[in-house]
Amino acid sequence: MEEITQWLSALDERHIVLGYGSLFSKDSRERFSNIFTKGVPVTVNGFERAWVTRSEQEKQTYVGAVASSSKQLNAQLIPAQLSPALQQRERDYRFVEVNHDSVLLNESGISNYNSAEIATFKKALAPFNLWICETLECAPASQAYPVNQTYIDTCMAGCLEHGGVEEAKAFITMTQAWDHPRVNDRASPQYPRAANVSQEVKEIIDDLLQPL
């Protein structure tokens, strides 16, 4: 906890994006969005993640966040300017400000901090503006707009990197509409911001996805 609060107090950037999809991946966000800060795993109340964001330009479907008072999703605190590059990356979403009370610090997908530690975290987080990318228009995946495996790999590799297997499992369980057309594009990535994912990590991802 002390490490996280010190990290927050040292930040110059006043905006924090709650990354819950491809922004999980350090490699993807560094190479394609010039975001060179680490991510801290959190849980966000009041939003549901699902395969509902259609990219007309890229002809594929991504995860999106939809406001829902009874739902939650796992994400990462990612300090970032709301730059033109980031807004272009997230052009199928709108940036919505999130109440600080909706964000819970977690470790490997499980909140395990006492009330004093949580209060310390909330105090350290208070000076920042928190943003989440809410889907502009929900549309289910289809044969014409499938989900590409390299996008799933990018999201889940980022979860594994920052929170281990439990965080990757949380990504699966906290995401709706897995019954969708999926294209294995690993040999020729169709997702334009695909992370570099090792064969070992791909095998872990495949094992986790097998029950779906």
Side-chain angles (χ1 to χ4, degrees), residues 113-130:
Y113 295 98
N114 61 42
S115 57
E117 290 174 320
I118 292 171
T120 299
F121 169 69
K122 293 288 187 183
K123 183 177 179 180
L125 195 62
F128 298 92
N129 299 109
L130 307 180

Side-chain angles (χ1 to χ4, degrees), residues 17-169:
V17 176
L18 300 166
Y20 61 84
S22 61
L23 284 175
F24 272 124
S25 168
K26 179 177 182 291
D27 176 64
S28 179
R29 63 180 185 254
E30 286 186 352
R31 287 196 294 119
F32 298 106
S33 297
N34 293 316
I35 299 175
F36 297 96
T37 55
K38 72 174 184 178
V40 173
V42 293
T43 298
V44 184
N45 289 325
F47 290 89
E48 181 176 48
R49 179 175 50 222
W51 295 102
V52 293
T53 304
R54 175 175 293 179
S55 173
E56 294 286 349
Q57 182 176 5
E58 296 168 0
K59 302 302 180 185
Q60 52 193 300
T61 299
Y62 303 137
V63 289
V66 180
S68 178
S69 60
S70 62
K71 303 295 184 179
Q72 59 181 195
L73 54 82
N74 62 320
Q76 287 179 20
L77 298 177
I78 301 172
Q81 294 181 358
L82 303 185
S83 65
L86 181 58
Q87 291 177 348
Q88 173 64 16
R89 177 179 178 133
E90 309 298 347
R91 59 186 173 273
D92 296 306
Y93 305 83
R94 55 178 163 261
F95 285 88
V96 175
E97 195 158 6
V98 176
N99 189 298
H100 289 70
D101 290 336
S102 299
V103 179
L104 307 175
L105 189 62
N106 62 36
E107 184 174 327
S108 299
I110 303 172
S111 181
N112 61 352
Y113 295 98
N114 61 42
S115 57
E117 290 174 320
I118 292 171
T120 299
F121 169 69
K122 293 288 187 183
K123 183 177 179 180
L125 195 62
F128 298 92
N129 299 109
L130 307 180
W131 303 91
I132 196 166
C133 292
E134 187 177 38
T135 298
L136 282 173
E137 185 175 349
C138 293
S142 65
Q143 294 294 338
Y145 298 91
V147 174
N148 284 310
Q149 184 64 48
T150 55
Y151 177 74
I152 298 176
D153 291 345
T154 298
C155 298
M156 293 189 64
C159 291
L160 289 164
E161 177 184 4
H162 292 283
V165 170
E166 290 305 314
E167 192 73 2
K169 287 180 178 178

